[in-house]
Amino acid sequence: MPPSGWYDDPEHPWTWRYWDGARWTDHRAPMWVAPPRDPMSLSMWFERSLAAVKVAARRIGLVLLVPWTMLGVAGWVLVVSTLDGRRGREVRRLLDLDENSFGGSDAVDLTDAEADRVWELTQQMFWSALPWFVLLGVIFALVSAWSVALAVRAGSVRVAESGTGPSPVESVGGLMSAAGRRVPGVLASGVVVSLVFLGVWIVASLPVVLVAVLDAGGAAIVLTSVFVVLLAGAVATWLWVRVSLAVVLAAVGGHGIGVRRSWELTSGQFWYAAGRLVITGLIAGALSGAVNSVAGFGQFLSLVVYLAIVLSLQVVVTAASMLITASCHLVTIDQLERSLDQR
């Protein structure tokens, strides 16, 4: 007699039945095995991306918010100090910004002299604050590069398909240090990718400029502009899919600024990569839209308070969007590398 255990049920196909060592019992179980899942599928990509986001958020979410909060406070102080200076107070008085809630007041009727004065004061405030805005822009670029590198390091390229997290496990200090070393590469990658798109639009503008110089007429300029915009948009979209992974690859390391590797991974996989990039963008965009809709309820407050609310919310959105984008792109890169290995 066979030992006790689960065996094929002689009465029902595709069913397990328990044999107690002497006779069949009434305990049955379906003989069902989950079909193997395609590791390249969209559902697998989504599950692994969600797992990567959770892991990264749990490990470095609060750490990521610290520099962005400081940057948001610095921006708020700069804007408020500009509006609270002598010129700023005069502009607020002319526009009745102190008498009316922001976004809730009626249009202010200005004389031509008052409108000219507002424009003059606005220009003066802009030029006086420009050096500080440039400094904030530089800091923004550095914090952005560090944030992407930190999210990449925390999420790991090879996120476990079970969703248990990255391996090997590093301390937060180790993650921050490693991210700092990747900042130059991430910045260089971002600059190169931006220059690629800038070059596309510069080249696309040349036919319009040529038609305008030749004085071919308004209709010719309009038709040329429409054609150029459509063509340049198609080229820019194609390039976006081919090089968008470069920044994350630069953060991973081992591939320089990542442009060449991004080009290799997306070769012959345009729609494969485009779908994942679009979904990632929609998720990050939906988060930003939800937060902006909440910020809209604060427009009845004063301008200073409203700016504080908006900048605080944008800090959270920016940090979260970078974390989501980096994590999703990591899994996209992993799938494309698997596909490349199978070719």
Side-chain angles (χ1 to χ4, degrees):
M1 301 290 287
S4 60
W6 291 93
Y7 296 92
D8 291 352
D9 189 338
E11 299 177 1
H12 301 283
W14 301 103
T15 304
W16 297 110
R17 188 172 181 180
Y18 192 77
W19 172 266
D20 65 4
R23 61 183 180 277
W24 291 106
T25 67
D26 293 331
H27 299 292
R28 288 183 170 92
M31 188 186 298
W32 181 83
V33 178
R37 297 185 63 189
D38 182 5
M40 316 294 291
S41 65
L42 183 61
S43 62
M44 183 65 79
W45 172 86
F46 185 83
E47 290 181 13
R48 296 182 62 200
S49 296
L50 182 60
V53 170
K54 289 180 178 179
V55 169
R58 183 171 62 250
R59 301 196 68 196
I60 49 92
L62 293 178
V63 174
L64 201 62
L65 281 177
V66 172
W68 284 105
T69 300
M70 296 174 64
L71 190 61
V73 170
W76 179 80
V77 170
L78 177 58
V79 173
V80 171
S81 61
T82 300
L83 294 175
D84 202 39
R86 179 182 59 82
R87 301 184 186 96
R89 288 195 298 270
E90 186 174 352
V91 170
R92 286 157 53 190
R93 178 183 60 80
L94 290 170
L95 297 178
D96 288 337
L97 292 179
D98 294 328
E99 298 296 330
N100 300 292
S101 59
F102 181 69
S105 61
D106 296 330
V108 178
D109 293 328
L110 298 176
T111 64
D112 291 341
E114 289 175 333
D116 291 340
R117 181 58 177 167
V118 168
W119 174 243
E120 178 185 357
L121 291 170
T122 302
Q123 288 182 306
Q124 293 175 1
M125 289 190 298
F126 170 78
W127 289 112
S128 63
L130 182 60
W132 294 105
F133 281 115
V134 171
L135 178 60
L136 279 179
V138 173
I139 297 174
F140 176 86
L142 291 173
V143 173
S144 298
W146 180 79
S147 300
V148 171
L150 183 63
V152 166
R153 193 73 180 184
S156 177
V157 176
R158 297 284 180 178
V159 177
E161 294 186 9
S162 60
T164 56
S167 179
V169 176
E170 294 184 76
S171 65
V172 175
L175 291 173
M176 295 172 63
S177 177
R181 292 192 295 270
R182 299 309 311 161
V183 166
V186 174
L187 283 175
S189 180
V191 170
V192 171
V193 171
S194 299
L195 289 176
V196 168
F197 290 107
L198 179 62
V200 169
W201 289 105
I202 289 176
V203 172
S205 66
L206 295 179
V208 180
V209 174
L210 180 62
V211 171
V213 169
L214 295 177
D215 196 19
I221 294 176
V222 170
L223 290 175
T224 304
S225 299
V226 171
F227 174 78
V228 165
V229 167
L230 292 175
L231 180 61
V235 173
T237 300
W238 179 73
L239 287 173
W240 168 69
V241 175
R242 300 300 305 272
V243 302
S244 281
L245 300 175
V247 173
V248 174
L249 285 164
V252 173
H255 298 289
I257 61 175
V259 174
R260 177 178 295 181
R261 184 57 176 172
S262 178
W263 196 270
E264 292 173 352
L265 291 176
T266 55
S267 178
Q269 299 288 341
F270 178 84
W271 296 111
Y272 189 89
R276 284 150 179 77
L277 293 174
V278 169
I279 294 174
T280 300
L282 289 175
I283 294 173
L287 175 64
S288 178
V291 171
N292 288 332
S293 64
V294 173
F297 291 103
Q299 291 188 2
F300 63 90
L301 301 172
S302 65
L303 177 59
V304 172
V305 175
Y306 176 74
L307 287 174
I309 294 174
V310 170
L311 288 175
S312 299
L313 292 175
Q314 286 301 321
V315 161
V316 178
V317 168
T318 302
S321 296
M322 288 190 172
L323 190 148
I324 291 171
T325 301
S327 300
C328 292
H329 284 185
L330 277 172
V331 180
T332 300
I333 290 169
D334 190 31
Q335 286 192 329
L336 289 172
E337 287 180 340
R338 291 171 184 265
S339 176
L340 186 62
D341 292 340
Q342 294 173 0
R343 294 182 211 172

